[in-house]
Amino acid sequence: QVQLVESGGGLVQAGGSLRLSCAASGRTLSMYDMGWFRQAPGKDREFVAGVSWGGGRYADSVKGRFTISRDNAKNTVYLQMNSLKPEDTAVYYCAARLRSGMFASIQRDDYKDWGQGTQVTVSS
């Protein structure tokens, strides 16, 4: 099991940027596919971005604005979020899944380890 702690959330105006971090402990992240999901009030938790050895993949709603990256030496995954929109407002969660393919899964139920989440609020 890997323990995940997100940070970097906050309040930002539309058009602004934030960088979320997900620090892992207990296991080395190089063994895992990593994903970022988000959940807005009253909505299901949805896939945002994922990274595996084949590279990153993104939800259509964030493609071209968000970038996922990982630093295995620091055991940390990042989500750089640019050109933020009010509809990006949500709690953002980091998730881990033992590596199983070329690209990270977009399915929430495939991920076994989750962080506690960090709030991102984008004002208009």
Side-chain angles (χ1 to χ4, degrees), residues 7 14 17 25 30 34 47 50 54 58 60 81 83 98 101-102 109 115:
S7 61
S17 298
S25 61
S30 61
M34 299 300 298
F47 173 81
Y58 300 91
D60 288 343
M81 306 186 296
S83 302
L98 283 172
M102 187 171 181
D109 290 345

Side-chain angles (χ1 to χ4, degrees), residues 42-79:
K43 296 188 176 181
D44 290 336
R45 192 171 299 189
E46 65 176 2
F47 173 81
V48 175
V51 62
S52 186
W53 65 272
R57 65 188 307 186
Y58 300 91
D60 288 343
S61 59
V62 307
K63 205 170 291 183
R65 300 188 297 123
F66 290 11
T67 303
I68 188 171
S69 62
R70 64 195 301 162
D71 186 336
N72 288 336
K74 294 184 177 181
N75 234 27
T76 301
V77 176
Y78 304 97
L79 184 68

Side-chain angles (χ1 to χ4, degrees), residues 94-108:
C94 175
R97 177 195 188 199
L98 283 172
R99 287 203 166 171
S100 61
M102 187 171 181
F103 292 101
S105 172
I106 66 171
Q107 300 298 324
R108 177 186 61 193

